[in-house]
Each structure stands twice: as structure tokens, then as C-alpha cells.
Amino acid sequence: MPSVTTAAVVGSSAADSDPAPSLRSATRAAVGVYGDDQIPGWKEAVTVRGRRQVLALSSVNASIALPLTALLVLLPNLARDNGWSTASTGGALVAGAILAAILAPLLSDRIPPSRRAGAGSVIAVNLAFIALLSNVVPAYWAFLVLSLLRGALFALTASIWRPAAFDLAIPEARARTIVRTQCGWLAGIGLGSLIALLGIAGPAIGTGQALFVAGVVGVLLSLASLRLADRTPGGVEERRIRRAMGHLDDPVAGLRPTWRESLQSLLSNRTLRLALSGYVAVGWTTGLGLVVPIQRLAQERDLKPLTAPLVFLIAATTTAVVLILTARGLEKSRRRSVEALAGVAVLGILISLIGLVLIGLVPVVISPQLTLSWIGGYLAFVALEVTVLSGVQPEDRPTAAAVTWFSLIGGSLVALGLVSVLTSLLPDAAAYAIALSVAGLPLILLWRRQRRFVRTAGQDLDERLGVDEDTQAFEEETGEAGAPSVLSLRNVDFSYGSVQVLFDVTLKVNDGEMVALLGPNGVGKTTLLRVLSGLERPQSGTIRLDGEDITDTNASRRVVLGLSQIVGGNAVFGSMTVYENLLMYGFSLGRDRASIKEGIDRAFEVFPKLADRRNQLGSTLSGGEQQMLGLSKALITKPRILVVDEFSLGLAPIVVGELLQMVRALNATGVAVLVVEQSVNLALNLVNRCYFMEKGEIVYEGFAKDLLAQPELVQALSLGGSPEGHAAAETTLRTEGSTSV
């Protein structure tokens, strides 16, 4: 793989035309979108080792598609030879496909990045052996079990090979990489069709022998997976982005989001949500679920038995040739703009729809229509794949690939089911011809939805890169202020289902500042803290830490980046000793035992009471001692900002006074503090600035010293939702010229 320097030289023509490129241009160029069409050659963009990896992935795809295609084409013959019904034999394969679709998203995080190549090799070889065994077992129950096992293993492949193909080459060659790996799949379909053709032609090779040969060839092709090597998620792209943003290191390198966090992040991505319908359309028109209906259509039109496998062979070969010829054009479209390549997906789905409908409308001939449908479908797949995976974080790509795999398989199965239902309702003479044409009509709805996909693709990519309009506005504000705020929330909305709790919340905490968030119970303070800490994701708005957009960042990463929260009354693990609690606080430091020990020693120095109780269970500590133990988190994690929630709750005044001194001492070391309190007077005597919340909104922002001089205003704001208090607050705000948000 070329180095970052080589990749930068590749895009020098775009940079030369713009002597002062904006941050947006620089980050887009880092992911291969330059605004021109000067793409590097394939050998220039991908090293010899990288090209071997692409060939290995292509062989793996072929090893899966080859025996599966042969099995589907020879399915009626296999059922007849074994005395099984065609419906039950096909049902076993459908059951395996359904299992693969369901398990793919659920298993997407089970294999860590450092082990994906090894796991992929094991899975590829086992899939090929299962395909070989499925073709020779004499008992139906064994065939069914093997089909389900193949589906389970197939589910694991979605999170391995597609992200690997995406990260193999520099961004300027990704479309061509995807094309080449998909040509491996098409080659497998072609070879499987050819072997099935020989099996049907006989008599030297029968059904059993043909399926056995397909399995053996599949096993041999799967051995290419042994050449696969693990890649860093994102590849060269992440280093480029950090360089464009002025970051030389990655503070969260090595951390993986949980499955739930990845899924939550992906479902908030508009481009992915819209693309799912596109993947359904691709599976609908190009999936192997159409093999059986095409065979039945050939029988319906009294075509020779050799017609169906010959049609698939021609369609696969022609589609592969077209993909290779158009690969450079797809790459150029991506380099010009995100929207240009996204538009190819819309066009491809339309072409695929036309081809599917023509299969049923045009009598006798089948091959040209199927070829047209596959060409459109595979063009759409490449465009969808590059656009969607570019718009999500590298660590979320395995889950994104698995979710879209669910849509692909789902689309193929829905198409098969719809054709089956229609043929049961139509006259036998033209059942499959009419069914295939009618089955294509629902795709019009999917095609219309994909048109919105083009409009969101560029916006979501900019948002992922942190160069969207909101980010640019933030950069302008930062430029005026001289430095970014440690913590910044901008226009944050949040809802629990249909109940909106936060409304357009905007607040900030500057470097070294102490700020209070005040308001009575039930106004949304705790919810805001959950959103701030990454436990909930806002419906809109942005959250930044030291200028970095962390809106989609999971909770554990936020701790690593410097945001720590102490929850009043719940900051201690009661079943653990004091020392074990302190060890738990240091989890974000990883294997840096020296820093953890230093932090623990510092905590015992600052809080001598904790040192005396180091072996005592947390649940046996007094309320004040538990809060001290919670505050000691800041001495270990050394955050940029410490969020303290109701630390005075239920404590005696003398204990609260001691804790206040500790908070001030932490702040004096440079740690910014956001205090959430119900005790207004306590908070105002501690902080520099304060915000008041009412019914999920920030209704007041001002300096604590100004509020202390206006007790009437403090009383009015503290009354929260009462009409009198609200009116008094508004009157005072107008007369005193305070800041109202």
C-alpha cells in the first residue's frame, strides 16, 4: 500500500489548483474526493502485496459463489436423484439464507480487527468443505443441517471481507478494488454455471459428479484466503485525515465500539438508512434467489434444459467484463464528487429494474434481459458500497457491512417469495413470465427513495469528517474566541421515543472554567448529562470536546478523550474495596500501570480517609467518603473536564464544605468543571458562570457574581415552571440586561 506521502502526491494536481485549500477540501481529498478526475493507475495506487490481497479476496468470493450456483441450478436434479421434494430441498437453502441474514448484524463485532484475516481463512475453507459435503450427503436432515451451518458461517463473512476490501487500497482506488472483488463473485457464478451445464449435458458427468467437482474447485479457491493479512481499520485514510486536521496521533487508537454503540451510530446516519433500500433492490434483481424462477421460466417457454445455466454463464461473464471496463469511470465519478458516484447507484437500480421487467415481457430470449439486470445491479452495488462505507467511521464498517448484507439477502428472498406467491395465483401457461415482470414493479418505490440518497451522501461524509456547516460555524467562533471551548453543546435536541426532553440546548465550558447547570427536578439536567457522556445520542445538534466533534463517539472513548463524570450517590462500586474502585477508574489508561499507580497514590495523598479505608468495601463508606472516592477518579484519569452531578446530595454541610475545597483544588490544576446542582446558593459560590434549565431548555446564562447580587432573579429562576417565577425572571432579565438564551 502506498504511503501517505505517495497518496498525497497522487492528489497534487487538485491541491496545486487551490493554493489555500480549505479544511473541507483537505479532508475530502484525504478520502479520495478531489473535485477532478485525475485518478492514479491501478499499479501505482495498489502495491504488489495489495494486488495479491485483492486477488485472494476475489478467489474467496468465487469459492462461495461457485458451489452455491451449481447447487441452485442442479437443485431439481439433486432432489430427484435423492428422492426429496424440490420444495423441501430449496427450503433448506432458504433457511440457511434467512439464518445468515439474521446472524450477520448480530455477529458483526465478534471478531476483533487483529484476528479477522485468520478467522476469514478458517471460515472460507470451512464454507467450501461444507459446500462439498452438502452435495454428497444422502440424508435430507444432514443436507438441512449443513445448509444452516453454512448460513451461520456465511453471516460472519460480512464483517470481514467487505471492510477488508475497502481498506486494501488508498481511497483513490477503492472503487476498482470493490469491482475486482465482485468480479471474483461473478467468476464463481460463471464457473458454477459451466459445471452445472456439463452436469445437465451428461452422460459422462451427472448431477452428483458435477456437484462434487464444484465443491472440490471451491475448496481449492478458498485456499487463497491463506494469503489474507490483517489491516488497520481505515487504512491510510485515517492517517491522512488526522494530518489534514492537524493531529499527529490518534488518542483512541485500539478502542473498539460495542455492537450497540456501532448500531446506534449507524442508524443515525441518513445515507446508510437510505442506502438500505438500495441494497434491497440490488439483492432483489441480482440475487441468486432468481435462479430457480429463471429455470422455471425457461421450462415454461419450452427451452432446452441447457438454457438456464447458459443464461447465467453469459450474464455473469458479460457483467464482469462491463464492470472491468467501467471501473475507471466509477473511480473518476467518486473523485469528482460524492454525489456523482451516489448517482450511479440510482441509475444502476433503474437499469436493473428495467432488465427484470423485460425478462418476463420479452418472449423466448432471456439472456440479454438478465445481463442488463445484473449490470445495473452490480454497478449500483459498487456505488453503494464505496459511498456508504466512506460515510461511516472505520470501526463501524464491519457492522455497516453486516447490516447491508441483511438487506441484500432480504431483497433476494423477498423477490423469490413474491414470485412464488404470484405463480401460485396465475395460470400455468405464463405464470413465471408475468410473475417476474410484476415482481419488478415494487422496485420503483425503492428507486424513488434512492434519489434522496444522492442528496445526503455528501452531507454525511462532511459530517463524519467534521467539516460540515455546523463545524465551519464552530471554527469561525473559535477563531474569534482565540481557542476552542473544552466542552461545547450546540442546538442539542433529545427525545425518549415520542417525548422530547431537550430543546435546542446550547452551552459551553471554557478551559479551566467552573460552570454550573441549575434548575429544579424534572427539567432535563440528568438527561442532558447522559447525552453529554455518550449514554444517549441526540436527535440533532453537536457535542464537542476541545473542538473535536464527539456527537457519535461512544462513552468509553469520551473518557479517553478527557471527559469524566461523577454521578451523585452512584459513583462507587459497593461490592468492591476502595482500592479496587480506584483500579476500575484507571481502565481508560489501559496497560499504563505506572500512571494508574501514580493516580492511586495521589488519591490517597489528597484524601487521607480513603487511604485508611483502602481495604474497606465501598458500600460501607459514609456518603461523604463515597463522594471523595468518586472525586478521586479525576486524580487518576486526569480529565480535561470533570462533570459532577449532585455531589452535595444528602450530605452534611461540613462534608459538603470539604468536597467544595477538593473541587476547587482540582480546578486549580487546570481541570474544567461542570457542576449540576439543585442547591443554587452552593453552586453560585463555587462557579464562574451558570446556566438555568426549564422544561428542557436553557433559559438563562450569566455570571455567578451577577446573580449573587440579584437574589430576586435567583429566586425567580429557581421557581422553574411557575408562571410567577417565569414572569419575574423575564422582567428582571430585561431590566438588568442579562443574557437570555
Side-chain angles (χ1 to χ4, degrees), residues 531-582:
V531 171
L532 175 62
S533 298
L535 300 177
E536 305 286 354
R537 191 189 185 284
Q539 274 69 49
S540 61
T542 55
I543 304 170
R544 297 181 184 280
L545 187 64
D546 272 336
E548 295 292 325
D549 189 343
I550 61 169
T551 310
D552 292 324
T553 303
N554 61 60
S556 57
R557 288 193 173 202
R558 297 189 191 196
V559 175
V560 175
L561 291 171
L563 191 156
S564 286
Q565 180 176 342
I566 299 172
V567 182
N570 295 293
V572 172
F573 298 100
S575 60
M576 294 183 178
T577 66
V578 168
Y579 185 77
E580 289 170 339
N581 269 273
L582 294 174

Side-chain angles (χ1 to χ4, degrees), residues 160-215:
I160 298 177
W161 295 322
R162 287 167 60 199
F166 197 75
D167 292 335
L168 272 177
I170 62 174
E172 293 83 0
R174 278 177 171 163
R176 284 171 287 178
T177 301
I178 301 299
V179 163
R180 280 167 169 76
T181 56
Q182 288 308 301
C183 282
W185 183 266
L186 287 166
I189 294 176
L191 287 172
S193 301
L194 179 61
I195 292 173
L197 185 66
L198 296 175
I200 294 174
I205 299 180
T207 299
Q209 293 88 339
L211 291 175
F212 181 79
V213 170

Side-chain angles (χ1 to χ4, degrees), residues 27 72 148 153 205 221 227 240 259 335 347 351 386 409 415 453 484 536 548-549 568 589 601 657 685 692 709:
T27 52
L72 287 170
L148 293 174
L153 289 177
I205 299 180
L221 288 171
R227 302 182 65 97
R240 285 193 191 180
W259 177 82
R335 178 153 175 147
L347 178 61
I351 293 172
V386 177
I409 297 176
F453 168 74
E536 305 286 354
E548 295 292 325
D549 189 343
L589 301 179
D601 292 342
N685 282 283
F692 270 88

Side-chain angles (χ1 to χ4, degrees), residues 108-109 111 113 116 159 163 167 232-235 237-238 242 250 252-259 261-263 265-266 389 392-401 464 552-554 557:
S108 60
D109 69 330
I111 303 175
R116 283 176 186 156
S159 60
D167 292 335
T232 302
E237 169 191 309
E238 289 302 292
R242 290 199 302 273
D250 186 0
V252 294
L255 282 181
R256 293 172 57 206
T258 64
W259 177 82
E261 290 166 343
S262 284
L263 190 62
S265 175
L266 292 172
L389 294 184
V392 301
Q393 298 293 346
E395 60 272 18
D396 292 331
R397 284 171 185 162
T399 303
R464 181 222 148 186
D552 292 324
T553 303
N554 61 60
R557 288 193 173 202

Side-chain angles (χ1 to χ4, degrees), residues 434-729:
I434 298 173
L436 284 167
S437 296
V438 174
L441 297 180
L443 289 172
I444 297 175
L445 299 176
L446 299 179
W447 170 72
R448 293 187 63 182
R449 180 173 170 80
Q450 283 305 109
R451 296 170 66 184
R452 295 171 56 198
F453 168 74
V454 179
R455 296 195 295 269
T456 64
Q459 298 171 8
D460 280 347
L461 177 61
D462 287 342
E463 188 173 326
R464 181 222 148 186
L465 297 174
V467 291
D468 52 308
E469 292 182 2
D470 181 76
T471 305
Q472 297 304 303
F474 172 80
E475 295 291 340
E476 292 175 4
E477 291 178 6
T478 301
E480 295 174 0
S485 302
V486 174
L487 179 68
S488 172
L489 282 77
R490 184 184 180 93
N491 306 122
V492 170
D493 291 338
F494 177 77
S495 302
Y496 289 111
S498 60
V499 180
Q500 186 166 351
V501 180
L502 301 180
F503 300 84
D504 200 33
V505 174
T506 297
L507 64 81
K508 64 180 179 180
V509 181
N510 296 319
D511 192 14
E513 191 178 26
M514 296 184 71
V515 176
L517 178 63
L518 307 173
N521 279 333
V523 298
K525 301 192 303 297
T526 300
T527 297
L528 179 59
L529 292 191
R530 290 182 62 82
V531 171
L532 175 62
S533 298
L535 300 177
E536 305 286 354
R537 191 189 185 284
Q539 274 69 49
S540 61
T542 55
I543 304 170
R544 297 181 184 280
L545 187 64
D546 272 336
E548 295 292 325
D549 189 343
I550 61 169
T551 310
D552 292 324
T553 303
N554 61 60
S556 57
R557 288 193 173 202
R558 297 189 191 196
V559 175
V560 175
L561 291 171
L563 191 156
S564 286
Q565 180 176 342
I566 299 172
V567 182
N570 295 293
V572 172
F573 298 100
S575 60
M576 294 183 178
T577 66
V578 168
Y579 185 77
E580 289 170 339
N581 269 273
L582 294 174
L583 284 176
M584 286 296 294
Y585 292 153
F587 82 97
S588 62
L589 301 179
R591 298 180 181 274
D592 191 355
R593 296 186 178 182
S595 295
I596 296 174
K597 183 180 184 302
E598 179 187 346
I600 293 175
D601 292 342
R602 174 65 175 157
F604 287 150
E605 179 184 341
V606 174
F607 300 107
K609 290 183 179 180
L610 296 182
D612 296 338
R613 293 163 174 74
R614 68 173 63 217
N615 296 319
Q616 190 172 325
L617 292 178
S619 59
T620 64
L621 299 178
S622 67
E625 290 167 345
Q626 289 189 13
Q627 289 293 56
M628 289 179 186
L629 183 53
L631 283 173
S632 66
K633 179 192 296 186
L635 298 169
I636 298 174
T637 61
K638 298 177 182 178
R640 291 285 291 121
I641 180 167
L642 180 66
V643 181
V644 184
D645 183 15
E646 302 286 2
F647 73 98
S648 67
L649 188 66
L651 301 181
I654 188 172
V655 176
V656 173
E658 293 178 4
L659 293 175
L660 286 176
Q661 294 178 9
M662 294 299 102
V663 173
R664 288 194 181 100
L666 288 171
N667 178 244
T669 65
V671 178
V673 179
L674 175 62
V675 177
V676 178
E677 262 294 331
Q678 287 191 59
S679 176
V680 176
N681 289 331
L682 184 152
L684 293 180
N685 282 283
L686 177 67
V687 303
N688 309 108
R689 289 188 305 110
C690 65
Y691 294 87
F692 270 88
M693 284 194 77
E694 180 182 332
K695 297 180 180 178
E697 296 181 273
I698 300 294
V699 296
Y700 176 82
E701 173 192 358
F703 289 100
K705 61 181 181 180
D706 295 336
L707 277 176
L708 287 171
Q710 303 174 65
E712 297 84 2
L713 177 58
V714 174
Q715 183 179 8
L717 290 168
S718 301
L719 290 175
S722 69
E724 297 82 5
H726 192 67

